[in-house]
Structures are given as structure tokens and as C-alpha cells.
Amino acid sequence: MNRKFRLILSAALLSVVLVGCGKATLSVDHKSYAPSGMTAVIKGHSNQKKVQYRINNGSQKKQAVKDGGYAITLPAKPYKQTVKLNAGGRKASVVVKKSPAIMSYAKFTAAYNQALMGSVLSKKDQAAAMKLQKQGAQLQQQSAKLKADSKAAQAKLKAGDLSAQATLASLAQQGAKLQAQGAQLKQTQAKLAPAFAKAKQQVADDTITAKARTGVYNLKKTATATVRGNVDKGQLIGATLMVPTSSLKSKKAAGTFMKELAVLTGSVGADTNTVLKGFANKANKKNSNQTTTSTIRSNGIDFDLGYSKTTLYIYVTHH
């Protein structure tokens, strides 16, 4: 009787052990993640074949589990992402912190393509173009102020303040001067037009498309450089410049790389000289075993450098 009881007990214990082995498991390495570069990677473990997840209660997605571990790569967004995970009935929740937008995608592409075009102009034409741009911006500001002052003076005159007549007369003279300056700028622009047209043709294959779509994708790809962007609803959240490490081994290739970097830094509103000098210092001090270097910052924009055996990565984000 005792022997029979022991056999029944052993069988019961064995069944409990087997059931325990089949119980679903799910864990996450961290409860909160901050995006690095253009993405955030959620990592964890499970004994299931796949992990299902939803982002901010959106549609259900899944990620395969390999050797007991999983990694879910999510694009950085300008808002907090709450990720709810499920594997075999086991649940977990993770938060991905928001990453501020750098600027509108339309503004970025316009600035990038204009800077790219300017990079192939002669030094003389570059100086003339920069002066033209500066004078044009000043003229717009002065014109806007003139309109506001004129509107205010007209309102005073309508209210019976006759002193506004003198103000309006003075503003009319200022307006005439601005018109003359505008005419001069148009003449300068006309002189530069052939050079601009030639430059536009030269960089036609290197420009970034003006059409935006949400996601992480290549904005341009050439033999010497790739620019990848993280775009969300018309906003540029992050960008990555990727170039072959061979770009640092010859003077000609290095010159091409520095031009690409200068165009990108200027386009996102950073100070080009600050970033280029910072990069030169980091590159000179880089240990061959390193895969990343410290951040270079300029005007609120972060530049993080990463290396692989074949590629140099420059991640651009807004901090």
C-alpha cells in the first residue's frame, strides 16, 4: 500500500514539474528606454517562440524570440511611446522616452539641397550668394516692420491723430529705399542665375527628395555617402550620415566626407565650424577598438559618432 502510494505521489510530482517547465516566461531588461541615435531597442527574454506587442494601444505586432532573447527596434518619436508586451499570456510594459524633432522635413530638405548646391559654387559665387541671402533676409525683416508701422500710423490717423501724417510720409520714403534695394538684389540674383543653374545640375543626383513619409529610410544614397532619416508626420526626428571608413584614409575622400558633413550640419541649424573641428579632434583621438565617441553639440543639436569595420556613422538628434 505504501509502495503504491509512493508511485502515485511520484507521478503527481513529475506532472507538476513538467507543467512548470512549460509555463510561459517574459521579461524586459529595462522599464524605460531613451532613444539612441534614431531608434530605441527594447530587449528581454522569453521561453516562447514570439513576443507580441502594441505601441500606444495601436495595432498588434510581433517579434521572434531567438535563443531565449528578443530585441524590438522602434523609431524614436516626438512623443512618449508606451509598449505593452505579451508572450504566452505573460505581460510586461515598457516606456520609450520622446525625442524632440529637429525641424520640419520641408525646411530641412530645402536647406540641405540649397547648401549642397552652394558647396559646388566657386568661392567668389559662394561669397556673393551668402551676401545675397543675408541682405534678402534683412530686407524681409525691414519690410515686415515697415508694414506694421504703417498699419499703426494709419490707425492713429483714422482716430484723428494728425501727427501720424508725418510718420506716414517718413515711412513712404523708407519704403522707396527698400524698393530700390530690392531691385538691386534682383539684379545681383540675375547675375548669379547661370552659376546657380549649373550648380543645380551638378548636384541633381545628390539632392534629397522633398516628399516625406513617416518611418526610417534612406533620404539619399550615393557611392560616397548615405543620409538616412527618421521622419514622423512631416517632422525630421533624426538623421544619420553613413560613409565608408575609407573616407578617412585619403585626402580626396576625406574632402568629400567633410563636404557631406558640412552640408548636413548647416542644414539642421548647427554651427559647421564647431562640428567639423569637434569631429577632427574625436577622429584623431579615436582608439581603433572603440565603436562610439562622445557627443559633439552645437545650437541644440547632438552629433554622435559610431564606427564599424567598414562604416562611419554620424547620428544627428535634437537634445
Side-chain angles (χ1 to χ4, degrees):
M1 188 73 173
N2 289 338
R3 184 170 178 274
K4 183 178 180 181
F5 178 76
R6 286 198 300 270
L7 288 174
I8 294 173
L9 181 62
S10 297
L13 290 173
L14 179 60
S15 66
V16 169
V17 171
L18 290 175
V19 169
C21 289
K23 188 176 181 180
T25 62
L26 175 64
S27 66
V28 289
D29 289 356
H30 304 283
K31 289 292 185 180
S32 178
Y33 287 83
S36 177
M38 296 196 299
T39 61
V41 182
I42 299 171
K43 293 183 178 181
H45 297 84
S46 176
N47 63 356
Q48 301 297 292
K49 292 183 178 180
K50 63 182 178 181
V51 172
Q52 298 175 328
Y53 64 96
R54 295 179 187 270
I55 305 168
N56 291 347
N57 294 320
S59 59
Q60 184 170 275
K61 300 179 181 180
K62 60 184 179 180
Q63 178 64 48
V65 177
K66 295 182 179 179
D67 298 325
Y70 66 89
I72 301 171
T73 302
L74 302 180
K77 296 288 184 181
Y79 49 82
K80 182 179 75 173
Q81 300 180 79
T82 300
V83 185
K84 295 182 179 179
L85 305 97
N86 188 326
R90 302 288 293 180
K91 297 180 180 180
S93 183
V94 172
V95 169
V96 177
K97 297 178 181 179
K98 68 178 183 179
S99 183
I102 296 174
M103 59 175 57
S104 73
Y105 182 79
K107 184 177 179 181
F108 169 69
T109 53
Y112 185 94
N113 292 337
Q114 185 177 4
L116 188 64
M117 189 171 68
S119 69
V120 298
L121 290 171
S122 67
K123 290 185 178 180
K124 181 181 178 181
D125 288 339
Q126 282 183 7
M130 289 180 67
K131 184 178 179 181
L132 182 66
Q133 186 179 24
K134 184 178 180 180
Q135 290 177 334
Q138 291 175 343
L139 194 63
Q140 285 183 341
Q141 291 177 352
Q142 292 171 352
S143 179
K145 185 177 184 303
L146 188 67
K147 287 180 180 179
D149 291 346
S150 179
K151 186 177 180 180
Q154 287 174 353
K156 285 184 179 181
L157 186 62
K158 188 176 181 180
D161 188 350
L162 298 180
S163 67
Q165 290 179 337
T167 303
L168 287 170
S170 175
L171 291 174
Q173 291 179 348
Q174 293 177 40
K177 289 181 180 179
L178 289 181
Q179 285 183 340
Q181 292 175 13
Q184 290 179 348
L185 289 181
K186 286 183 178 179
Q187 290 179 358
T188 304
Q189 190 175 21
K191 289 180 182 178
L192 288 171
F196 284 159
K198 183 180 179 181
K200 187 176 182 179
Q201 187 176 12
Q202 280 182 263
V203 301
D205 295 332
D206 292 343
T207 56
I208 290 176
T209 177
K211 187 176 181 180
R213 57 186 174 87
T214 295
V216 176
Y217 58 95
N218 289 345
L219 305 181
K220 87 165 192 179
K221 186 173 184 178
T222 67
T224 56
T226 297
V227 177
R228 184 171 293 169
N230 176 17
V231 184
D232 184 78
K233 297 178 181 178
Q235 296 291 310
L236 180 70
I237 311 305
T240 303
L241 173 63
M242 297 174 284
V243 295
T245 51
S246 58
S247 297
L248 307 176
K249 296 179 181 178
S250 74
K251 190 173 181 179
K252 183 179 179 181
T256 300
F257 161 68
M258 295 303 274
K259 186 192 81 171
E260 291 281 358
L261 181 57
V263 169
L264 181 60
T265 55
S267 302
V268 296
D271 181 77
T272 301
N273 289 332
T274 298
V275 176
L276 293 184
K277 287 180 181 178
F279 171 77
N281 291 336
K282 303 296 182 188
N284 290 335
K285 295 176 182 179
K286 186 185 92 67
N287 184 296
S288 59
N289 294 324
Q290 281 184 295
T291 57
T292 60
T293 68
S294 56
T295 301
I296 298 170
R297 288 180 172 171
S298 173
N299 297 338
I301 307 298
D302 286 354
F303 296 82
D304 292 288
L305 285 64
Y307 297 85
S308 71
K309 291 183 179 180
T310 59
T311 308
L312 166 66
Y313 301 86
I314 300 179
Y315 304 100
V316 185
T317 54
H318 192 305
H319 72 261

